[in-house]
Amino acid sequence: MNKKSVKDIDVKGKRVFCRVDFNVPMKDGQVTDETRIRAALPTIQYLSEQGAKVILASHLGRPKGQAVEELRLTPVAKRLSELLGKDVKKTDEAYGDAVKTEIGTMNDGDVLLLENVRFYPGEEKNDAELAKSFAELADVYVNDAFGAAHRAHASTEGIAHHLPAVSGLLMEKELDVLGKALSNPERPFTAIIGGAKVKDKIGVIDNLLEKVDNLIIGGGLAYTFVKAQGHEVGKSLLEEDKIDLANSFIAKAKEKGVNFYMPVDVIVADDFSEQANTKVVSIEEIPADWEALDIGPKTAEIYQDVIKNSKLVIWNGPMGVFELETFAKGTKSVAQALADATDTYSVIGGGDSAAAVEKFNLADKMSHISTGGGASLEFMEGKVLPGVVALNDK
Ligand SMILES: Nc1ncnc2c1ncn2[C@@H]1O[C@H](COP(=O)(O)OP(=O)(O)OP(=O)(O)O)[C@@H](O)[C@H]1O
Ligand SMILES: O=C(O)[C@H](O)COP(=O)(O)O
Protein backbone atom coordinates (compact mmCIF):
# COMPACT_ATOMS: atom_id res chain seq x y z
CA MET A 1 0.00 0.00 0.00
CA ASN A 2 1.29 3.46 -0.86
CA LYS A 3 -0.22 5.04 2.27
CA LYS A 4 1.65 5.61 5.53
CA SER A 5 0.71 3.25 8.32
CA VAL A 6 0.79 3.60 12.06
CA LYS A 7 4.15 1.80 11.99
CA ASP A 8 5.68 4.63 9.94
CA ILE A 9 5.22 7.31 12.62
CA ASP A 10 6.12 7.96 16.23
CA VAL A 11 3.08 8.06 18.49
CA LYS A 12 4.69 8.03 21.93
CA GLY A 13 2.97 10.50 24.25
CA LYS A 14 0.73 11.68 21.41
CA ARG A 15 -3.05 11.94 21.45
CA VAL A 16 -4.18 9.66 18.63
CA PHE A 17 -7.70 9.95 17.19
CA CYS A 18 -8.27 6.42 15.91
CA ARG A 19 -11.38 5.85 13.78
CA VAL A 20 -12.53 2.26 14.09
CA ASP A 21 -15.63 0.47 12.79
CA PHE A 22 -17.49 -0.71 15.88
CA ASN A 23 -20.77 -0.88 13.95
CA VAL A 24 -21.58 -4.24 15.52
CA PRO A 25 -24.86 -6.14 15.83
CA MET A 26 -26.56 -5.60 19.21
CA LYS A 27 -29.54 -7.07 20.98
CA ASP A 28 -30.97 -5.88 24.28
CA GLY A 29 -27.94 -3.69 24.95
CA GLN A 30 -25.43 -6.51 24.36
CA VAL A 31 -22.94 -6.93 21.53
CA THR A 32 -24.04 -10.11 19.71
CA ASP A 33 -21.06 -10.37 17.36
CA GLU A 34 -17.70 -8.94 18.34
CA THR A 35 -15.77 -9.73 15.15
CA ARG A 36 -15.22 -6.07 14.34
CA ILE A 37 -14.08 -5.27 17.88
CA ARG A 38 -11.57 -8.12 17.85
CA ALA A 39 -10.35 -7.08 14.40
CA ALA A 40 -9.45 -3.62 15.73
CA LEU A 41 -7.50 -4.94 18.73
CA PRO A 42 -4.06 -5.19 17.04
CA THR A 43 -4.03 -1.46 16.22
CA ILE A 44 -5.41 -0.42 19.61
CA GLN A 45 -2.91 -2.63 21.44
CA TYR A 46 -0.05 -1.41 19.25
CA LEU A 47 -0.90 2.24 19.87
CA SER A 48 -1.30 1.67 23.59
CA GLU A 49 1.97 -0.27 23.87
CA GLN A 50 3.76 2.51 21.98
CA GLY A 51 2.60 4.95 24.68
CA ALA A 52 -0.08 6.81 22.71
CA LYS A 53 -3.22 8.20 24.32
CA VAL A 54 -5.72 6.22 22.24
CA ILE A 55 -8.95 8.10 21.50
CA LEU A 56 -11.30 5.76 19.64
CA ALA A 57 -14.21 6.96 17.51
CA SER A 58 -16.89 4.96 15.70
CA HIS A 59 -20.39 5.06 14.35
CA LEU A 60 -23.09 2.59 15.34
CA GLY A 61 -26.16 2.15 13.17
CA ARG A 62 -27.84 5.00 11.36
CA PRO A 63 -29.16 7.44 14.00
CA LYS A 64 -29.52 10.20 11.37
CA GLY A 65 -27.71 12.99 13.17
CA GLN A 66 -29.34 12.75 16.58
CA ALA A 67 -28.70 10.97 19.86
CA VAL A 68 -30.52 7.63 19.99
CA GLU A 69 -30.25 5.86 23.36
CA GLU A 70 -30.04 2.32 21.93
CA LEU A 71 -27.21 3.39 19.66
CA ARG A 72 -24.86 4.62 22.37
CA LEU A 73 -21.47 2.90 22.31
CA THR A 74 -21.50 2.13 26.05
CA PRO A 75 -21.91 -1.69 25.64
CA VAL A 76 -19.08 -1.67 23.10
CA ALA A 77 -16.73 0.10 25.55
CA LYS A 78 -17.54 -2.55 28.14
CA ARG A 79 -16.79 -5.44 25.76
CA LEU A 80 -13.65 -3.75 24.46
CA SER A 81 -12.44 -3.28 28.00
CA GLU A 82 -12.89 -7.03 28.67
CA LEU A 83 -11.11 -7.99 25.46
CA LEU A 84 -8.19 -5.61 26.09
CA GLY A 85 -7.98 -6.51 29.76
CA LYS A 86 -7.79 -2.84 30.66
CA ASP A 87 -10.12 -0.04 31.60
CA VAL A 88 -11.73 1.76 28.65
CA LYS A 89 -13.44 5.03 29.56
CA LYS A 90 -16.33 6.24 27.44
CA THR A 91 -17.56 9.79 26.95
CA ASP A 92 -21.19 10.80 26.35
CA GLU A 93 -20.20 13.15 23.53
CA ALA A 94 -17.76 12.82 20.61
CA TYR A 95 -16.19 16.31 20.83
CA GLY A 96 -16.32 19.50 22.86
CA ASP A 97 -15.05 20.79 26.19
CA ALA A 98 -16.13 17.86 28.37
CA VAL A 99 -14.37 15.45 26.00
CA LYS A 100 -11.22 17.65 25.98
CA THR A 101 -11.21 17.64 29.78
CA GLU A 102 -11.49 13.84 29.84
CA ILE A 103 -8.65 13.51 27.33
CA GLY A 104 -6.58 15.85 29.51
CA THR A 105 -6.68 13.26 32.29
CA MET A 106 -5.39 10.41 30.08
CA ASN A 107 -2.00 8.81 30.71
CA ASP A 108 0.18 7.39 27.94
CA GLY A 109 -1.23 4.00 26.90
CA ASP A 110 -4.79 4.77 28.08
CA VAL A 111 -7.77 4.00 25.84
CA LEU A 112 -10.91 6.15 25.60
CA LEU A 113 -14.00 5.60 23.43
CA LEU A 114 -15.98 8.61 22.20
CA GLU A 115 -19.77 8.56 21.73
CA ASN A 116 -21.32 7.51 18.40
CA VAL A 117 -20.09 10.05 15.82
CA ARG A 118 -23.36 9.76 13.88
CA PHE A 119 -25.25 11.49 16.70
CA TYR A 120 -24.12 14.72 14.97
CA PRO A 121 -25.65 15.83 11.64
CA GLY A 122 -22.22 17.04 10.47
CA GLU A 123 -20.69 13.56 10.48
CA GLU A 124 -22.37 12.17 7.39
CA LYS A 125 -22.31 15.59 5.70
CA ASN A 126 -18.53 15.64 6.15
CA ASP A 127 -18.97 19.05 7.75
CA ALA A 128 -15.68 20.97 7.93
CA GLU A 129 -16.43 22.43 11.39
CA LEU A 130 -17.14 19.01 12.86
CA ALA A 131 -13.99 17.59 11.27
CA LYS A 132 -12.03 20.44 12.88
CA SER A 133 -13.66 19.76 16.24
CA PHE A 134 -12.58 16.12 16.04
CA ALA A 135 -9.08 17.16 14.98
CA GLU A 136 -8.78 19.50 17.99
CA LEU A 137 -8.90 16.45 20.24
CA ALA A 138 -5.69 14.91 18.91
CA ASP A 139 -2.19 15.22 17.42
CA VAL A 140 -2.43 12.32 14.97
CA TYR A 141 -5.23 10.63 13.00
CA VAL A 142 -5.30 6.89 12.41
CA ASN A 143 -7.96 5.33 10.21
CA ASP A 144 -8.51 1.66 11.00
CA ALA A 145 -12.19 1.65 9.99
CA PHE A 146 -11.98 -0.28 6.74
CA GLY A 147 -15.72 -1.02 7.03
CA ALA A 148 -16.49 2.71 6.81
CA ALA A 149 -13.71 3.70 4.38
CA HIS A 150 -16.23 4.06 1.53
CA ARG A 151 -17.93 6.88 3.41
CA ALA A 152 -16.56 10.41 3.07
CA HIS A 153 -17.63 11.51 6.53
CA ALA A 154 -16.13 13.96 9.04
CA SER A 155 -14.46 11.23 11.12
CA THR A 156 -13.39 9.08 8.15
CA GLU A 157 -12.27 11.71 5.65
CA GLY A 158 -12.63 15.35 6.77
CA ILE A 159 -10.43 15.01 9.84
CA ALA A 160 -7.56 13.60 7.75
CA HIS A 161 -7.04 17.08 6.24
CA HIS A 162 -6.24 18.59 9.64
CA LEU A 163 -3.77 16.12 11.18
CA PRO A 164 -0.97 13.78 10.13
CA ALA A 165 -3.10 10.89 8.83
CA VAL A 166 -2.10 7.23 8.58
CA SER A 167 -3.75 3.83 8.25
CA GLY A 168 -4.20 1.33 11.06
CA LEU A 169 -3.08 -2.30 10.88
CA LEU A 170 -6.53 -3.70 10.03
CA MET A 171 -7.01 -1.20 7.22
CA GLU A 172 -3.61 -2.15 5.82
CA LYS A 173 -4.35 -5.90 5.99
CA GLU A 174 -7.79 -5.63 4.36
CA LEU A 175 -6.47 -3.61 1.42
CA ASP A 176 -3.60 -6.01 0.99
CA VAL A 177 -5.64 -9.26 1.01
CA LEU A 178 -8.56 -7.99 -1.09
CA GLY A 179 -6.21 -6.29 -3.54
CA LYS A 180 -4.26 -9.50 -4.08
CA ALA A 181 -7.44 -11.58 -4.62
CA LEU A 182 -8.78 -9.20 -7.23
CA SER A 183 -5.74 -8.04 -9.16
CA ASN A 184 -5.82 -11.27 -11.15
CA PRO A 185 -8.95 -13.20 -10.12
CA GLU A 186 -9.00 -16.93 -10.44
CA ARG A 187 -11.92 -18.10 -12.57
CA PRO A 188 -14.74 -18.99 -12.47
CA PHE A 189 -15.22 -15.88 -10.32
CA THR A 190 -18.58 -15.71 -8.51
CA ALA A 191 -20.17 -12.88 -6.54
CA ILE A 192 -23.03 -13.62 -4.15
CA ILE A 193 -25.02 -10.57 -3.13
CA GLY A 194 -27.76 -10.62 -0.52
CA GLY A 195 -28.83 -8.77 2.60
CA ALA A 196 -31.32 -6.00 3.12
CA LYS A 197 -29.62 -2.77 2.06
CA VAL A 198 -31.18 -2.80 -1.39
CA LYS A 199 -30.36 0.82 -2.21
CA ASP A 200 -26.69 0.41 -1.28
CA LYS A 201 -26.12 -2.84 -3.06
CA ILE A 202 -28.14 -2.70 -6.22
CA GLY A 203 -25.67 -0.23 -7.74
CA VAL A 204 -22.61 -2.38 -7.21
CA ILE A 205 -24.18 -5.20 -9.17
CA ASP A 206 -23.69 -3.13 -12.30
CA ASN A 207 -19.94 -3.02 -11.80
CA LEU A 208 -19.66 -6.61 -10.70
CA LEU A 209 -21.23 -7.64 -14.00
CA GLU A 210 -18.05 -6.35 -15.67
CA LYS A 211 -15.83 -8.64 -13.62
CA VAL A 212 -17.52 -11.88 -12.60
CA ASP A 213 -18.50 -15.08 -14.38
CA ASN A 214 -21.45 -15.82 -12.10
CA LEU A 215 -23.68 -13.46 -10.15
CA ILE A 216 -25.93 -14.89 -7.45
CA ILE A 217 -28.68 -12.79 -5.88
CA GLY A 218 -30.36 -13.62 -2.55
CA GLY A 219 -31.69 -12.00 0.60
CA GLY A 220 -34.11 -9.09 0.67
CA LEU A 221 -32.41 -7.74 -2.44
CA ALA A 222 -33.77 -10.58 -4.56
CA TYR A 223 -37.41 -9.46 -4.52
CA THR A 224 -36.82 -6.34 -6.55
CA PHE A 225 -35.47 -8.70 -9.23
CA VAL A 226 -38.38 -11.12 -8.77
CA LYS A 227 -40.78 -8.22 -9.24
CA ALA A 228 -38.79 -7.02 -12.25
CA GLN A 229 -39.39 -10.42 -13.80
CA GLY A 230 -43.12 -9.79 -13.53
CA HIS A 231 -43.92 -11.80 -10.40
CA GLU A 232 -45.76 -10.57 -7.33
CA VAL A 233 -43.69 -10.41 -4.15
CA GLY A 234 -46.40 -9.98 -1.51
CA LYS A 235 -45.03 -8.20 1.54
CA SER A 236 -41.40 -9.01 0.73
CA LEU A 237 -38.76 -6.28 0.76
CA LEU A 238 -39.12 -4.24 -2.43
CA GLU A 239 -37.46 -1.15 -3.85
CA GLU A 240 -40.10 0.03 -6.34
CA ASP A 241 -37.91 2.66 -7.97
CA LYS A 242 -35.16 0.14 -8.68
CA ILE A 243 -37.29 -2.31 -10.66
CA ASP A 244 -36.22 -0.97 -14.06
CA LEU A 245 -32.62 -1.00 -12.97
CA ALA A 246 -32.96 -4.62 -11.87
CA ASN A 247 -34.27 -5.47 -15.32
CA SER A 248 -31.40 -3.68 -17.00
CA PHE A 249 -28.95 -5.77 -14.92
CA ILE A 250 -30.58 -8.99 -16.06
CA ALA A 251 -30.20 -7.79 -19.66
CA LYS A 252 -26.60 -6.72 -19.10
CA ALA A 253 -25.72 -10.10 -17.63
CA LYS A 254 -27.02 -11.77 -20.77
CA GLU A 255 -25.07 -9.38 -22.97
CA LYS A 256 -21.84 -9.91 -21.01
CA GLY A 257 -22.22 -13.68 -20.84
CA VAL A 258 -22.47 -13.58 -17.05
CA ASN A 259 -24.56 -16.39 -15.55
CA PHE A 260 -27.22 -14.63 -13.48
CA TYR A 261 -28.85 -16.59 -10.67
CA MET A 262 -31.86 -15.50 -8.63
CA PRO A 263 -34.17 -17.57 -6.41
CA VAL A 264 -36.44 -20.10 -8.08
CA ASP A 265 -38.18 -20.91 -4.81
CA VAL A 266 -38.46 -19.16 -1.45
CA ILE A 267 -39.65 -19.63 2.11
CA VAL A 268 -42.57 -17.32 2.79
CA ALA A 269 -44.00 -16.43 6.19
CA ASP A 270 -47.25 -14.81 7.34
CA ASP A 271 -45.34 -12.86 10.00
CA PHE A 272 -41.80 -11.62 10.60
CA SER A 273 -41.21 -13.98 13.52
CA GLU A 274 -39.94 -17.38 14.57
CA GLN A 275 -43.52 -18.48 15.28
CA ALA A 276 -44.84 -17.52 11.84
CA ASN A 277 -46.57 -20.01 9.57
CA THR A 278 -44.20 -20.79 6.72
CA LYS A 279 -44.22 -22.62 3.41
CA VAL A 280 -41.97 -23.16 0.42
CA VAL A 281 -43.30 -21.68 -2.81
CA SER A 282 -41.92 -21.05 -6.27
CA ILE A 283 -41.22 -17.40 -7.05
CA GLU A 284 -44.31 -17.25 -9.25
CA GLU A 285 -46.47 -18.06 -6.24
CA ILE A 286 -45.63 -15.65 -3.43
CA PRO A 287 -48.99 -15.01 -1.71
CA ALA A 288 -50.12 -11.38 -1.42
CA ASP A 289 -50.16 -11.31 2.41
CA TRP A 290 -46.93 -13.24 2.92
CA GLU A 291 -43.30 -12.20 3.01
CA ALA A 292 -40.35 -14.10 1.51
CA LEU A 293 -37.72 -14.41 4.24
CA ASP A 294 -35.32 -17.03 2.88
CA ILE A 295 -34.35 -18.76 -0.34
CA GLY A 296 -35.93 -22.18 -0.86
CA PRO A 297 -34.30 -25.64 -1.00
CA LYS A 298 -34.12 -25.85 -4.82
CA THR A 299 -32.43 -22.45 -4.97
CA ALA A 300 -29.99 -23.44 -2.23
CA GLU A 301 -29.01 -26.51 -4.21
CA ILE A 302 -28.39 -24.50 -7.39
CA TYR A 303 -26.31 -21.92 -5.48
CA GLN A 304 -24.27 -24.64 -3.78
CA ASP A 305 -23.46 -26.15 -7.15
CA VAL A 306 -22.23 -22.83 -8.57
CA ILE A 307 -20.05 -22.30 -5.49
CA LYS A 308 -18.55 -25.78 -5.77
CA ASN A 309 -17.46 -25.03 -9.33
CA SER A 310 -15.94 -21.60 -8.61
CA LYS A 311 -12.32 -20.72 -7.91
CA LEU A 312 -12.99 -17.34 -6.30
CA VAL A 313 -16.18 -16.36 -4.49
CA ILE A 314 -16.98 -13.03 -2.88
CA TRP A 315 -20.03 -13.05 -0.63
CA ASN A 316 -21.81 -10.01 0.78
CA GLY A 317 -25.13 -10.22 2.57
CA PRO A 318 -27.13 -13.17 3.96
CA MET A 319 -29.62 -15.14 1.85
CA GLY A 320 -32.42 -14.72 4.37
CA VAL A 321 -33.27 -13.53 7.85
CA PHE A 322 -30.64 -15.88 9.32
CA GLU A 323 -31.01 -14.36 12.80
CA LEU A 324 -34.25 -16.36 13.09
CA GLU A 325 -33.62 -20.12 12.95
CA THR A 326 -36.65 -20.67 10.70
CA PHE A 327 -35.10 -18.52 7.96
CA ALA A 328 -31.42 -19.45 8.41
CA LYS A 329 -31.24 -22.50 6.13
CA GLY A 330 -30.44 -20.66 2.89
CA THR A 331 -27.60 -18.68 4.43
CA LYS A 332 -26.30 -21.79 6.15
CA SER A 333 -26.27 -23.79 2.91
CA VAL A 334 -24.21 -21.10 1.16
CA ALA A 335 -21.79 -20.92 4.10
CA GLN A 336 -21.48 -24.71 4.18
CA ALA A 337 -20.82 -24.89 0.42
CA LEU A 338 -18.03 -22.33 0.81
CA ALA A 339 -16.58 -24.23 3.76
CA ASP A 340 -16.61 -27.49 1.76
CA ALA A 341 -15.07 -25.93 -1.37
CA THR A 342 -11.48 -26.21 -0.24
CA ASP A 343 -10.11 -25.25 -3.68
CA THR A 344 -12.12 -22.04 -3.70
CA TYR A 345 -10.78 -18.75 -2.33
CA SER A 346 -13.68 -17.37 -0.30
CA VAL A 347 -13.93 -13.74 0.70
CA ILE A 348 -16.72 -12.85 3.10
CA GLY A 349 -17.72 -9.20 3.28
CA GLY A 350 -20.36 -7.57 5.38
CA GLY A 351 -21.04 -7.38 9.08
CA ASP A 352 -24.03 -9.71 8.88
CA SER A 353 -22.48 -12.23 6.49
CA ALA A 354 -19.46 -12.42 8.79
CA ALA A 355 -21.80 -12.80 11.79
CA ALA A 356 -23.66 -15.60 9.99
CA VAL A 357 -20.47 -17.54 9.23
CA GLU A 358 -19.43 -17.08 12.85
CA LYS A 359 -22.83 -18.28 14.09
CA PHE A 360 -22.57 -21.47 12.01
CA ASN A 361 -19.04 -22.09 13.37
CA LEU A 362 -17.60 -21.99 9.86
CA ALA A 363 -15.48 -18.84 10.18
CA ASP A 364 -12.16 -20.68 10.23
CA LYS A 365 -13.09 -22.45 6.97
CA MET A 366 -13.24 -19.18 5.01
CA SER A 367 -10.16 -17.80 3.26
CA HIS A 368 -10.73 -14.18 4.34
CA ILE A 369 -13.46 -12.56 6.39
CA SER A 370 -13.48 -8.87 5.68
CA THR A 371 -14.78 -6.45 8.28
CA GLY A 372 -16.17 -4.35 5.44
CA GLY A 373 -19.58 -4.82 3.83
CA GLY A 374 -20.22 -1.94 1.46
CA ALA A 375 -16.54 -1.00 1.75
CA SER A 376 -15.31 -4.37 0.51
CA LEU A 377 -17.82 -4.31 -2.34
CA GLU A 378 -16.79 -0.84 -3.45
CA PHE A 379 -13.15 -1.75 -3.19
CA MET A 380 -13.77 -4.83 -5.30
CA GLU A 381 -15.56 -2.71 -7.87
CA GLY A 382 -12.35 -0.73 -8.23
CA LYS A 383 -13.80 2.43 -6.70
CA VAL A 384 -11.53 4.66 -4.66
CA LEU A 385 -12.30 4.66 -0.95
CA PRO A 386 -12.38 8.25 0.37
CA GLY A 387 -11.18 7.16 3.81
CA VAL A 388 -8.06 5.68 2.24
CA VAL A 389 -7.38 8.39 -0.35
CA ALA A 390 -7.31 11.06 2.39
CA LEU A 391 -4.40 9.39 4.23
CA ASN A 392 -0.81 10.59 3.83
CA ASP A 393 1.24 9.00 1.05
CA LYS A 394 4.41 7.11 1.93
N1 LIG B 1 -35.66 -11.76 2.60
C1 LIG B 1 -35.32 -10.87 3.51
N2 LIG B 1 -36.21 -10.00 4.00
C2 LIG B 1 -35.86 -9.10 4.95
N3 LIG B 1 -34.61 -9.00 5.48
C3 LIG B 1 -33.69 -9.85 5.02
C4 LIG B 1 -33.98 -10.81 4.02
N4 LIG B 1 -32.86 -11.51 3.78
C5 LIG B 1 -31.91 -11.02 4.59
N5 LIG B 1 -32.39 -10.02 5.36
C6 LIG B 1 -31.68 -9.26 6.40
O1 LIG B 1 -30.60 -8.58 5.86
C7 LIG B 1 -29.76 -8.17 6.92
C8 LIG B 1 -28.35 -7.99 6.44
O2 LIG B 1 -28.32 -7.11 5.35
P1 LIG B 1 -27.09 -6.14 5.04
O3 LIG B 1 -27.37 -5.56 3.72
O4 LIG B 1 -26.89 -5.23 6.21
O5 LIG B 1 -25.89 -7.19 4.90
P2 LIG B 1 -24.42 -7.16 5.48
O6 LIG B 1 -23.79 -8.45 5.16
O7 LIG B 1 -24.41 -6.80 6.93
O8 LIG B 1 -23.68 -6.05 4.72
P3 LIG B 1 -23.16 -4.65 5.30
O9 LIG B 1 -21.92 -4.93 6.05
O10 LIG B 1 -23.00 -3.83 4.08
O11 LIG B 1 -24.19 -4.13 6.25
C9 LIG B 1 -29.91 -9.25 7.98
O12 LIG B 1 -30.27 -8.65 9.19
C10 LIG B 1 -31.04 -10.13 7.44
O13 LIG B 1 -31.98 -10.49 8.42
O1 LIG C 1 -21.67 -1.92 8.43
C1 LIG C 1 -21.05 -1.32 7.54
O2 LIG C 1 -20.99 -1.71 6.36
C2 LIG C 1 -20.23 -0.12 7.92
O3 LIG C 1 -20.10 0.02 9.29
C3 LIG C 1 -20.83 1.14 7.28
O4 LIG C 1 -22.09 1.38 7.77
P1 LIG C 1 -23.11 2.25 6.91
O5 LIG C 1 -23.52 1.40 5.74
O6 LIG C 1 -24.25 2.57 7.84
O7 LIG C 1 -22.37 3.48 6.45
Side-chain angles (χ1 to χ4, degrees):
M1 197 175 66
N2 62 348
K3 295 292 180 184
K4 273 192 187 161
S5 105
V6 73
K7 296 239 163 131
D8 296 319
I9 58 164
D10 182 15
V11 294
K12 182 157 176 47
K14 301 226 170 97
R15 296 168 303 162
V16 175
F17 185 106
C18 182
R19 178 58 157 98
V20 288
D21 185 357
F22 285 165
N23 187 25
V24 290
M26 301 244 259
K27 203 177 172 196
D28 304 328
Q30 299 277 329
V31 175
T32 53
D33 180 68
E34 60 194 33
T35 310
R36 280 179 167 171
I37 305 178
R38 284 185 186 274
L41 293 178
T43 300
I44 299 168
Q45 275 157 341
Y46 176 81
L47 289 169
S48 172
E49 280 158 18
Q50 295 292 307
K53 298 178 177 76
V54 189
I55 305 156
L56 300 171
S58 178
H59 72 284
L60 175 64
R62 293 177 169 177
K64 301 205 170 88
Q66 56 186 5
V68 172
E69 285 311 310
E70 310 82 76
L71 294 177
R72 289 199 180 273
L73 282 165
T74 316
V76 175
K78 185 169 168 273
R79 190 67 199 114
L80 174 64
S81 176
E82 289 160 7
L83 290 169
L84 281 174
K86 72 190 279 161
D87 192 38
V88 174
K89 280 213 175 127
K90 145 101 196 349
T91 54
D92 290 334
E93 298 285 343
Y95 71 95
D97 290 340
V99 175
K100 280 184 191 159
T101 306
E102 190 64 50
I103 292 171
T105 68
M106 288 173 81
N107 294 313
D108 291 355
D110 280 356
V111 180
L112 174 79
L113 177 60
L114 304 177
E115 189 51 276
N116 190 343
V117 289
R118 286 196 186 164
F119 283 2
Y120 308 92
E123 167 65 4
E124 292 183 69
K125 292 190 186 120
N126 201 1
D127 177 70
E129 286 308 311
L130 182 61
K132 258 189 233 157
S133 301
F134 288 148
E136 277 172 16
L137 304 176
D139 308 301
V140 174
Y141 173 67
V142 172
N143 192 351
D144 210 26
F146 174 72
H150 58 316
R151 308 288 184 212
H153 295 172
S155 71
T156 61
E157 203 273 348
I159 182 175
H161 301 290
H162 301 286
L163 293 172
V166 301
S167 76
L169 304 174
L170 172 65
M171 177 74 90
E172 208 179 13
K173 182 175 150 209
E174 291 270 18
L175 296 172
D176 195 40
V177 175
L178 296 176
K180 273 190 194 140
L182 283 166
S183 55
N184 189 10
E186 280 212 71
R187 297 189 180 275
F189 176 14
T190 299
I192 309 173
I193 309 296
K197 291 180 188 161
V198 181
K199 275 211 179 77
D200 285 2
K201 292 183 187 180
I202 212 150
V204 309
I205 293 169
D206 194 20
N207 287 292
L208 285 171
L209 285 168
E210 307 280 346
K211 295 195 193 308
V212 300
D213 303 297
N214 305 306
L215 185 69
I216 291 179
I217 303 284
L221 201 73
Y223 305 100
T224 301
F225 287 87
V226 172
K227 180 83 179 174
Q229 292 287 283
H231 307 302
E232 288 311 319
V233 297
K235 289 186 172 163
S236 313
L237 214 60
L238 175 67
E239 209 63 56
E240 294 268 6
D241 59 341
K242 297 284 190 273
I243 294 174
D244 288 344
L245 201 60
N247 254 331
S248 73
F249 293 157
I250 295 172
K252 181 169 175 177
K254 222 175 251 165
E255 191 188 303
K256 295 263 167 200
V258 174
N259 302 308
F260 188 89
Y261 298 91
M262 53 188 260
V264 294
D265 62 348
V266 291
I267 298 178
V268 292
D270 61 356
D271 186 31
F272 193 99
S273 77
E274 198 81 78
Q275 291 75 36
N277 292 306
T278 65
K279 54 186 176 185
V280 176
V281 297
S282 82
I283 54 153
E284 292 95 25
E285 295 166 339
I286 300 176
D289 280 346
W290 295 54
E291 186 175 3
L293 295 177
D294 197 8
I295 56 170
K298 273 192 205 135
T299 307
E301 211 173 295
I302 297 169
Y303 290 5
Q304 283 189 313
D305 218 45
V306 177
I307 291 166
K308 201 162 68 188
N309 293 306
S310 300
K311 279 273 179 276
L312 171 64
V313 178
I314 58 172
W315 177 23
N316 179 293
M319 297 291 98
V321 183
F322 75 98
E323 298 92 338
L324 303 179
E325 200 51 46
T326 321
F327 312 109
K329 285 191 204 77
T331 305
K332 202 183 241 175
S333 66
V334 162
Q336 191 63 54
L338 283 168
D340 294 343
T342 44
D343 274 353
T344 306
Y345 194 86
S346 48
V347 179
I348 317 301
D352 283 297
S353 322
V357 167
E358 196 73 50
K359 182 178 165 179
F360 306 140
N361 287 321
L362 295 171
D364 60 340
K365 299 270 187 353
M366 305 298 150
S367 312
H368 178 69
I369 300 186
S370 173
T371 50
S376 63
L377 275 179
E378 292 200 16
F379 178 78
M380 289 182 192
E381 282 172 47
K383 282 193 185 163
V384 292
L385 303 179
V388 177
V389 176
L391 302 176
N392 301 150
D393 291 329
K394 261 193 181 149

